[in-house]
Amino acid sequence: MRRRLSRIGAALATSAAVIIGLGAVAAPASAQASGLTFYSGQFTDTVAHFPAPSGDCSALPAAADSHIGWSGFQDVVFYRTSDCTGQATAVGTLRTYEAGRWLTFRAF
C-alpha cells in the first residue's frame, strides 16, 4: 500500500511541476519581446531596439556586438558603408560579431 501511495504522490508531484512549467512558457503574446534588439557585451546590455524594422537603411550602434531578431522579419543585412551600399553581409536574426565592424544595416 505504501509503495502504491508513493507512486501516486510522485506522479502528482511530476504533474504539478509540468503544469507550472508550461504556465511560465505560455506567457501572453503581449509579454513576448518583438522587433530587433542590439546588445553590447555579448547580449548583456541593450544598446538599441527597433520595434518594427522597416527594411530602410539604419545606423548600426557603434557599441553593438550582438543582436536578436525577435519577430516581424527574417534577416538582418550589414554594410561597411554609411549608406547601405557596397557588399552586403546577411547575418540572420541571432548573431555575435566584433563591435564597429559594420556601420549600417537593413532588416527584411
Side-chain angles (χ1 to χ4, degrees):
M1 181 72 167
R2 283 187 176 184
R3 190 177 199 176
R4 186 175 186 191
L5 289 176
S6 293
R7 286 184 182 168
I8 292 171
L12 288 174
T14 301
S15 297
V18 168
I19 289 170
I20 290 169
L22 288 175
V25 171
S30 62
Q32 301 296 322
S34 63
L36 175 62
T37 304
F38 288 97
Y39 300 90
S40 66
Q42 305 288 313
F43 304 107
T44 304
D45 300 311
T46 301
V47 293
H49 179 72
F50 296 82
S54 64
D56 293 337
C57 184
S58 300
L60 184 66
D65 65 5
S66 47
H67 69 266
I68 297 176
W70 298 102
S71 65
F73 58 98
Q74 297 180 344
D75 199 8
V76 178
V77 179
F78 286 161
Y79 300 87
R80 292 183 187 258
T81 61
S82 61
D83 60 354
C84 293
T85 59
Q87 181 178 347
T89 304
V91 295
T93 58
L94 179 64
R95 178 80 180 249
T96 61
Y97 35 86
E98 180 183 337
R101 184 173 180 186
W102 291 288
L103 298 178
T104 54
F105 76 94
R106 293 180 192 264
F108 299 97

